[in-house]
Amino acid sequence: MENTTAVAALAALAQESRLAVFRLLVRNAPEGLTPGLIGEELDLPAPTLSFHLRTLAQAGLVTAVQEGRYVRYRAELPGIDALIAFLTEDCCAGNSKLCSPKG
Amino acid sequence: MENTTAVAALAALAQESRLAVFRLLVRNAPEGLTPGLIGEELDLPAPTLSFHLRTLAQAGLVTAVQEGRYVRYRAELPGIDALIAFLTEDCCAGNSKLCSPKG
DNA sequence: GCAATATTTCCATATTATTGGAAATATGGA
DNA sequence: TCCATATTTCCAATAATATGGAAATATTGC
């Protein structure tokens, strides 16, 4: 993973509303949710939510699929796995006895 | 973990230089490094690095210990573990068969 | 075609973060 | 005490981001 890619993903998550949206989609994986349901659950205005969903999608943390007049957003679990691996890469110079992270 | 705490940690990591500093400290866990060495390795001016280290420390991702005229910074591995767990909490509503993340 | 609903784009405002030179502070050694 | 080194604080310029109302776009059912 590129440093730049990781920064984009972390920046996408580093915002209260977006983090809440992402975690809601993680809990509701793998089916996903529509913006209407997300906005209702988290009490977010549609334009604000749309902006945040786009940011998460550009960072590769969620995917969007058009379903008729709805759009289904899903957490991209491999994306978050890759980010987690990147954060703890080569931890303790590879000496796993010294490290708590699983990576 | 509080939503606010997680946002602070993610924001701390969502910056190119800080992410590089953090990952360098992860690789050099558990001994840690001094700002002088970090700045040399990553080619960062001292005031800029000091600002970034303080941000990481406030987010609970690194710790600082004074050692004579040096300061030793270390990656706070339990902190990153907690953040990772928070991101994937209750993934797929707890149905681990559907989920890739280890959490 | 028309009305209702879902979602996004436009846009102006407000807020917050990043940068690094210069100066301040702190420690250790001679 | 005085000097060299390590680190931080001060500060001002610059840049990036979040917010939500109004309007635009898209889809479905009638």
Side-chain angles (χ1 to χ4, degrees), chain A residues 49-95:
Chain A
L49 177 56
S50 183
F51 167 77
H52 288 317
L53 284 168
R54 185 158 58 91
T55 304
L56 286 168
Q58 284 174 343
L61 292 169
V62 307
T63 57
V65 174
Q66 191 84 34
E67 290 188 358
R69 96 175 95 175
Y70 300 86
V71 178
R72 182 164 296 270
Y73 281 89
R74 290 187 175 88
E76 182 70 12
L77 299 178
I80 194 71
D81 274 352
L83 178 62
I84 288 170
F86 184 78
L87 288 178
T88 57
E89 194 175 279
D90 204 18
C91 182
C92 299
N95 186 340

Tab-separated table of all heavy atoms in Angstrom, chain A residues 49-95:
chain	number	residue	atom	x	y	z
A	49	LEU	N	-24.214	14.108	4.140
A	49	LEU	CA	-23.971	12.672	4.061
A	49	LEU	C	-23.411	12.287	2.701
A	49	LEU	O	-22.474	11.480	2.611
A	49	LEU	CB	-25.274	11.912	4.336
A	49	LEU	CG	-25.181	10.394	4.224
A	49	LEU	CD1	-24.097	9.843	5.135
A	49	LEU	CD2	-26.534	9.767	4.548
A	50	SER	N	-23.951	12.870	1.662
A	50	SER	CA	-23.486	12.560	0.314
A	50	SER	C	-22.000	12.903	0.164
A	50	SER	O	-21.210	12.129	-0.394
A	50	SER	CB	-24.312	13.339	-0.705
A	50	SER	OG	-23.927	13.019	-2.018
A	51	PHE	N	-21.644	14.065	0.698
A	51	PHE	CA	-20.244	14.489	0.681
A	51	PHE	C	-19.359	13.488	1.421
A	51	PHE	O	-18.293	13.080	0.930
A	51	PHE	CB	-20.136	15.887	1.307
A	51	PHE	CG	-18.743	16.321	1.646
A	51	PHE	CD1	-17.875	16.761	0.655
A	51	PHE	CD2	-18.295	16.278	2.961
A	51	PHE	CE1	-16.593	17.159	0.986
A	51	PHE	CE2	-17.005	16.681	3.285
A	51	PHE	CZ	-16.149	17.121	2.294
A	52	HIS	N	-19.810	13.036	2.570
A	52	HIS	CA	-19.006	12.114	3.368
A	52	HIS	C	-18.910	10.735	2.710
A	52	HIS	O	-17.849	10.108	2.724
A	52	HIS	CB	-19.581	11.993	4.773
A	52	HIS	CG	-19.360	13.214	5.606
A	52	HIS	ND1	-18.154	13.891	5.621
A	52	HIS	CD2	-20.174	13.896	6.451
A	52	HIS	CE1	-18.251	14.926	6.442
A	52	HIS	NE2	-19.464	14.959	6.949
A	53	LEU	N	-20.007	10.282	2.131
A	53	LEU	CA	-19.977	8.980	1.456
A	53	LEU	C	-19.028	9.003	0.261
A	53	LEU	O	-18.306	8.042	0.002
A	53	LEU	CB	-21.389	8.580	1.015
A	53	LEU	CG	-22.305	8.082	2.132
A	53	LEU	CD1	-23.738	7.984	1.654
A	53	LEU	CD2	-21.825	6.728	2.654
A	54	ARG	N	-19.038	10.106	-0.450
A	54	ARG	CA	-18.131	10.221	-1.591
A	54	ARG	C	-16.675	10.172	-1.119
A	54	ARG	O	-15.814	9.538	-1.739
A	54	ARG	CB	-18.407	11.517	-2.365
A	54	ARG	CG	-17.590	11.639	-3.621
A	54	ARG	CD	-18.217	12.589	-4.624
A	54	ARG	NE	-18.396	13.924	-4.082
A	54	ARG	CZ	-17.499	14.905	-4.184
A	54	ARG	NH1	-16.353	14.694	-4.800
A	54	ARG	NH2	-17.728	16.094	-3.684
A	55	THR	N	-16.399	10.860	-0.009
A	55	THR	CA	-15.042	10.852	0.540
A	55	THR	C	-14.616	9.432	0.922
A	55	THR	O	-13.502	8.994	0.610
A	55	THR	CB	-14.969	11.775	1.766
A	55	THR	OG1	-15.394	13.083	1.386
A	55	THR	CG2	-13.553	11.854	2.305
A	56	LEU	N	-15.512	8.702	1.572
A	56	LEU	CA	-15.202	7.321	1.962
A	56	LEU	C	-14.989	6.442	0.733
A	56	LEU	O	-14.098	5.589	0.710
A	56	LEU	CB	-16.330	6.753	2.827
A	56	LEU	CG	-16.410	7.270	4.269
A	56	LEU	CD1	-17.731	6.866	4.912
A	56	LEU	CD2	-15.238	6.760	5.101
A	57	ALA	N	-15.794	6.660	-0.298
A	57	ALA	CA	-15.685	5.854	-1.513
A	57	ALA	C	-14.370	6.142	-2.236
A	57	ALA	O	-13.692	5.214	-2.692
A	57	ALA	CB	-16.874	6.122	-2.428
A	58	GLN	N	-14.011	7.421	-2.319
A	58	GLN	CA	-12.757	7.783	-2.988
A	58	GLN	C	-11.563	7.194	-2.258
A	58	GLN	O	-10.518	6.931	-2.857
A	58	GLN	CB	-12.629	9.307	-3.080
A	58	GLN	CG	-13.508	9.905	-4.169
A	58	GLN	CD	-13.480	11.425	-4.168
A	58	GLN	OE1	-13.066	12.051	-3.192
A	58	GLN	NE2	-13.925	12.019	-5.258
A	59	ALA	N	-11.712	7.013	-0.945
A	59	ALA	CA	-10.618	6.440	-0.159
A	59	ALA	C	-10.603	4.919	-0.227
A	59	ALA	O	-9.735	4.276	0.352
A	59	ALA	CB	-10.733	6.898	1.295
A	60	GLY	N	-11.584	4.338	-0.921
A	60	GLY	CA	-11.614	2.881	-1.068
A	60	GLY	C	-12.154	2.155	0.147
A	60	GLY	O	-11.961	0.944	0.289
A	61	LEU	N	-12.854	2.873	1.021
A	61	LEU	CA	-13.350	2.252	2.251
A	61	LEU	C	-14.795	1.791	2.123
A	61	LEU	O	-15.264	0.976	2.914
A	61	LEU	CB	-13.228	3.234	3.421
A	61	LEU	CG	-11.793	3.544	3.821
A	61	LEU	CD1	-11.750	4.712	4.796
A	61	LEU	CD2	-11.138	2.315	4.434
A	62	VAL	N	-15.513	2.338	1.158
A	62	VAL	CA	-16.871	1.870	0.879
A	62	VAL	C	-17.052	1.782	-0.629
A	62	VAL	O	-16.302	2.399	-1.397
A	62	VAL	CB	-17.959	2.801	1.490
A	62	VAL	CG1	-17.729	3.043	2.977
A	62	VAL	CG2	-18.046	4.110	0.739
A	63	THR	N	-18.047	1.004	-1.043
A	63	THR	CA	-18.392	0.936	-2.458
A	63	THR	C	-19.853	1.324	-2.604
A	63	THR	O	-20.643	1.177	-1.666
A	63	THR	CB	-18.202	-0.474	-3.021
A	63	THR	OG1	-18.987	-1.382	-2.241
A	63	THR	CG2	-16.749	-0.899	-2.959
A	64	ALA	N	-20.199	1.814	-3.789
A	64	ALA	CA	-21.569	2.240	-4.063
A	64	ALA	C	-22.096	1.467	-5.257
A	64	ALA	O	-21.406	1.337	-6.265
A	64	ALA	CB	-21.599	3.730	-4.356
A	65	VAL	N	-23.308	0.940	-5.120
A	65	VAL	CA	-23.957	0.249	-6.234
A	65	VAL	C	-25.356	0.822	-6.409
A	65	VAL	O	-26.140	0.881	-5.451
A	65	VAL	CB	-24.054	-1.265	-5.980
A	65	VAL	CG1	-24.855	-1.937	-7.084
A	65	VAL	CG2	-22.675	-1.882	-5.878
A	66	GLN	N	-25.643	1.256	-7.625
A	66	GLN	CA	-26.966	1.794	-7.913
A	66	GLN	C	-27.976	0.650	-7.935
A	66	GLN	O	-27.749	-0.376	-8.571
A	66	GLN	CB	-26.928	2.475	-9.282
A	66	GLN	CG	-28.152	3.303	-9.600
A	66	GLN	CD	-28.061	4.700	-9.004
A	66	GLN	OE1	-26.964	5.264	-8.923
A	66	GLN	NE2	-29.190	5.257	-8.582
A	67	GLU	N	-29.092	0.841	-7.230
A	67	GLU	CA	-30.162	-0.156	-7.255
A	67	GLU	C	-31.459	0.591	-7.489
A	67	GLU	O	-32.090	1.066	-6.550
A	67	GLU	CB	-30.226	-0.916	-5.923
A	67	GLU	CG	-29.046	-1.841	-5.703
A	67	GLU	CD	-29.223	-2.738	-4.482
A	67	GLU	OE1	-30.257	-2.600	-3.787
A	67	GLU	OE2	-28.330	-3.554	-4.219
A	68	GLY	N	-31.823	0.691	-8.727
A	68	GLY	CA	-33.000	1.469	-9.052
A	68	GLY	C	-32.806	2.906	-8.632
A	68	GLY	O	-31.786	3.507	-8.949
A	69	ARG	N	-33.711	3.423	-7.861
A	69	ARG	CA	-33.556	4.826	-7.470
A	69	ARG	C	-32.770	4.949	-6.167
A	69	ARG	O	-32.535	6.050	-5.682
A	69	ARG	CB	-34.926	5.492	-7.393
A	69	ARG	CG	-35.547	5.544	-6.054
A	69	ARG	CD	-36.843	6.331	-6.059
A	69	ARG	NE	-38.000	5.458	-6.223
A	69	ARG	CZ	-39.267	5.909	-6.170
A	69	ARG	NH1	-39.511	7.189	-6.018
A	69	ARG	NH2	-40.265	5.073	-6.299
A	70	TYR	N	-32.369	3.837	-5.626
A	70	TYR	CA	-31.548	3.845	-4.415
A	70	TYR	C	-30.088	3.592	-4.772
A	70	TYR	O	-29.767	3.111	-5.857
A	70	TYR	CB	-32.010	2.754	-3.446
A	70	TYR	CG	-33.443	2.896	-2.993
A	70	TYR	CD1	-34.483	2.371	-3.752
A	70	TYR	CD2	-33.747	3.564	-1.811
A	70	TYR	CE1	-35.808	2.502	-3.338
A	70	TYR	CE2	-35.062	3.699	-1.393
A	70	TYR	CZ	-36.093	3.174	-2.160
A	70	TYR	OH	-37.387	3.319	-1.746
A	71	VAL	N	-29.220	3.910	-3.831
A	71	VAL	CA	-27.809	3.546	-3.967
A	71	VAL	C	-27.441	2.756	-2.724
A	71	VAL	O	-27.762	3.169	-1.606
A	71	VAL	CB	-26.903	4.787	-4.077
A	71	VAL	CG1	-25.445	4.375	-4.168
A	71	VAL	CG2	-27.294	5.615	-5.293
A	72	ARG	N	-26.840	1.607	-2.942
A	72	ARG	CA	-26.455	0.783	-1.796
A	72	ARG	C	-24.973	0.966	-1.529
A	72	ARG	O	-24.139	0.761	-2.409
A	72	ARG	CB	-26.765	-0.694	-2.067
A	72	ARG	CG	-26.441	-1.610	-0.895
A	72	ARG	CD	-27.113	-2.949	-1.068
A	72	ARG	NE	-28.569	-2.832	-1.042
A	72	ARG	CZ	-29.300	-2.920	0.079
A	72	ARG	NH1	-28.717	-3.164	1.235
A	72	ARG	NH2	-30.605	-2.800	0.011
A	73	TYR	N	-24.667	1.403	-0.323
A	73	TYR	CA	-23.272	1.571	0.091
A	73	TYR	C	-22.874	0.401	0.979
A	73	TYR	O	-23.644	-0.014	1.856
A	73	TYR	CB	-23.093	2.884	0.853
A	73	TYR	CG	-23.002	4.088	-0.058
A	73	TYR	CD1	-24.147	4.776	-0.457
A	73	TYR	CD2	-21.775	4.527	-0.532
A	73	TYR	CE1	-24.058	5.876	-1.306
A	73	TYR	CE2	-21.681	5.629	-1.371
A	73	TYR	CZ	-22.830	6.294	-1.751
A	73	TYR	OH	-22.734	7.377	-2.588
A	74	ARG	N	-21.670	-0.085	0.752
A	74	ARG	CA	-21.158	-1.208	1.549
A	74	ARG	C	-19.756	-0.908	2.041
A	74	ARG	O	-18.965	-0.297	1.310
A	74	ARG	CB	-21.088	-2.480	0.693
A	74	ARG	CG	-22.406	-3.082	0.320
A	74	ARG	CD	-22.195	-4.419	-0.380
A	74	ARG	NE	-23.475	-5.081	-0.636
A	74	ARG	CZ	-24.217	-4.910	-1.715
A	74	ARG	NH1	-23.817	-4.066	-2.660
A	74	ARG	NH2	-25.359	-5.547	-1.844
A	75	ALA	N	-19.436	-1.358	3.244
A	75	ALA	CA	-18.058	-1.264	3.747
A	75	ALA	C	-17.179	-2.179	2.906
A	75	ALA	O	-17.557	-3.311	2.598
A	75	ALA	CB	-17.998	-1.684	5.209
A	76	GLU	N	-16.029	-1.665	2.533
A	76	GLU	CA	-15.068	-2.448	1.753
A	76	GLU	C	-14.085	-3.090	2.733
A	76	GLU	O	-13.054	-2.517	3.078
A	76	GLU	CB	-14.370	-1.516	0.763
A	76	GLU	CG	-13.374	-2.171	-0.152
A	76	GLU	CD	-14.010	-3.083	-1.185
A	76	GLU	OE1	-15.250	-3.036	-1.354
A	76	GLU	OE2	-13.263	-3.855	-1.796
A	77	LEU	N	-14.413	-4.295	3.176
A	77	LEU	CA	-13.623	-4.909	4.250
A	77	LEU	C	-12.167	-5.199	3.869
A	77	LEU	O	-11.277	-4.988	4.693
A	77	LEU	CB	-14.337	-6.170	4.762
A	77	LEU	CG	-15.733	-5.890	5.360
A	77	LEU	CD1	-16.386	-7.188	5.792
A	77	LEU	CD2	-15.657	-4.917	6.519
A	78	PRO	N	-11.887	-5.635	2.656
A	78	PRO	CA	-10.470	-5.814	2.299
A	78	PRO	C	-9.683	-4.509	2.401
A	78	PRO	O	-8.498	-4.511	2.729
A	78	PRO	CB	-10.530	-6.308	0.848
A	78	PRO	CG	-11.878	-6.933	0.721
A	78	PRO	CD	-12.786	-6.117	1.589
A	79	GLY	N	-10.362	-3.391	2.120
A	79	GLY	CA	-9.698	-2.088	2.221
A	79	GLY	C	-9.255	-1.783	3.633
A	79	GLY	O	-8.127	-1.332	3.850
A	80	ILE	N	-10.126	-2.065	4.578
A	80	ILE	CA	-9.761	-1.773	5.973
A	80	ILE	C	-8.705	-2.752	6.458
A	80	ILE	O	-7.802	-2.390	7.222
A	80	ILE	CB	-11.014	-1.755	6.884
A	80	ILE	CG1	-10.686	-1.126	8.239
A	80	ILE	CG2	-11.579	-3.136	7.099
A	80	ILE	CD1	-10.463	0.345	8.170
A	81	ASP	N	-8.770	-3.986	5.985
A	81	ASP	CA	-7.727	-4.965	6.321
A	81	ASP	C	-6.351	-4.491	5.858
A	81	ASP	O	-5.364	-4.584	6.585
A	81	ASP	CB	-8.031	-6.308	5.646
A	81	ASP	CG	-8.955	-7.167	6.475
A	81	ASP	OD1	-9.242	-6.789	7.625
A	81	ASP	OD2	-9.384	-8.216	5.965
A	82	ALA	N	-6.302	-3.980	4.635
A	82	ALA	CA	-5.028	-3.519	4.075
A	82	ALA	C	-4.486	-2.342	4.872
A	82	ALA	O	-3.279	-2.243	5.138
A	82	ALA	CB	-5.215	-3.125	2.611
A	83	LEU	N	-5.386	-1.461	5.280
A	83	LEU	CA	-4.966	-0.297	6.066
A	83	LEU	C	-4.375	-0.732	7.401
A	83	LEU	O	-3.315	-0.256	7.828
A	83	LEU	CB	-6.165	0.629	6.288
A	83	LEU	CG	-5.888	1.869	7.124
A	83	LEU	CD1	-4.846	2.750	6.453
A	83	LEU	CD2	-7.176	2.646	7.361
A	84	ILE	N	-5.054	-1.656	8.057
A	84	ILE	CA	-4.587	-2.149	9.357
A	84	ILE	C	-3.214	-2.808	9.208
A	84	ILE	O	-2.304	-2.582	10.017
A	84	ILE	CB	-5.619	-3.144	9.943
A	84	ILE	CG1	-6.857	-2.374	10.395
A	84	ILE	CG2	-5.016	-3.942	11.089
A	84	ILE	CD1	-8.039	-3.258	10.780
A	85	ALA	N	-3.050	-3.590	8.149
A	85	ALA	CA	-1.764	-4.254	7.929
A	85	ALA	C	-0.660	-3.218	7.720
A	85	ALA	O	0.454	-3.356	8.225
A	85	ALA	CB	-1.857	-5.181	6.723
A	86	PHE	N	-1.009	-2.165	6.987
A	86	PHE	CA	-0.016	-1.116	6.700
A	86	PHE	C	0.462	-0.427	7.977
A	86	PHE	O	1.638	-0.133	8.146
A	86	PHE	CB	-0.641	-0.087	5.751
A	86	PHE	CG	0.290	0.988	5.294
A	86	PHE	CD1	1.226	0.739	4.301
A	86	PHE	CD2	0.222	2.255	5.845
A	86	PHE	CE1	2.085	1.742	3.865
A	86	PHE	CE2	1.083	3.257	5.415
A	86	PHE	CZ	2.007	3.003	4.429
A	87	LEU	N	-0.481	-0.189	8.883
A	87	LEU	CA	-0.147	0.537	10.111
A	87	LEU	C	0.844	-0.222	10.994
A	87	LEU	O	1.640	0.386	11.697
A	87	LEU	CB	-1.415	0.822	10.923
A	87	LEU	CG	-2.347	1.884	10.373
A	87	LEU	CD1	-3.572	2.015	11.257
A	87	LEU	CD2	-1.614	3.217	10.274
A	88	THR	N	0.763	-1.536	10.952
A	88	THR	CA	1.605	-2.319	11.865
A	88	THR	C	2.684	-3.107	11.122
A	88	THR	O	3.302	-4.012	11.680
A	88	THR	CB	0.725	-3.290	12.671
A	88	THR	OG1	-0.012	-4.121	11.767
A	88	THR	CG2	-0.252	-2.538	13.544
A	89	GLU	N	2.910	-2.713	9.867
A	89	GLU	CA	3.876	-3.416	9.016
A	89	GLU	C	5.271	-3.427	9.630
A	89	GLU	O	5.776	-2.396	10.061
A	89	GLU	CB	3.906	-2.699	7.662
A	89	GLU	CG	4.578	-3.461	6.554
A	89	GLU	CD	4.422	-2.695	5.239
A	89	GLU	OE1	3.358	-2.796	4.620
A	89	GLU	OE2	5.351	-1.950	4.867
A	90	ASP	N	5.865	-4.602	9.660
A	90	ASP	CA	7.231	-4.767	10.154
A	90	ASP	C	7.382	-4.290	11.598
A	90	ASP	O	8.420	-3.764	11.997
A	90	ASP	CB	8.201	-4.011	9.233
A	90	ASP	CG	9.604	-4.579	9.302
A	90	ASP	OD1	9.754	-5.717	9.766
A	90	ASP	OD2	10.545	-3.856	8.919
A	91	CYS	N	6.319	-4.490	12.372
A	91	CYS	CA	6.312	-4.058	13.771
A	91	CYS	C	7.440	-4.734	14.537
A	91	CYS	O	7.702	-5.927	14.363
A	91	CYS	CB	4.960	-4.407	14.395
A	91	CYS	SG	4.789	-3.867	16.100
A	92	CYS	N	8.130	-3.945	15.383
A	92	CYS	CA	9.268	-4.453	16.156
A	92	CYS	C	10.279	-5.114	15.239
A	92	CYS	O	10.895	-6.124	15.603
A	92	CYS	CB	8.802	-5.424	17.234
A	92	CYS	SG	7.678	-4.683	18.428
A	93	ALA	N	10.442	-4.555	14.053
A	93	ALA	CA	11.401	-5.079	13.075
A	93	ALA	C	11.141	-6.538	12.754
A	93	ALA	O	12.046	-7.273	12.348
A	93	ALA	CB	12.836	-4.865	13.557
A	94	GLY	N	9.913	-6.982	12.950
A	94	GLY	CA	9.545	-8.344	12.576
A	94	GLY	C	9.612	-9.350	13.715
A	94	GLY	O	9.197	-10.498	13.557
A	95	ASN	N	10.067	-8.918	14.871
A	95	ASN	CA	10.155	-9.817	16.020
A	95	ASN	C	8.787	-9.911	16.701
A	95	ASN	O	8.442	-9.109	17.567
A	95	ASN	CB	11.201	-9.290	17.002
A	95	ASN	CG	11.433	-10.255	18.147
A	95	ASN	OD1	10.590	-11.122	18.426
A	95	ASN	ND2	12.555	-10.106	18.812
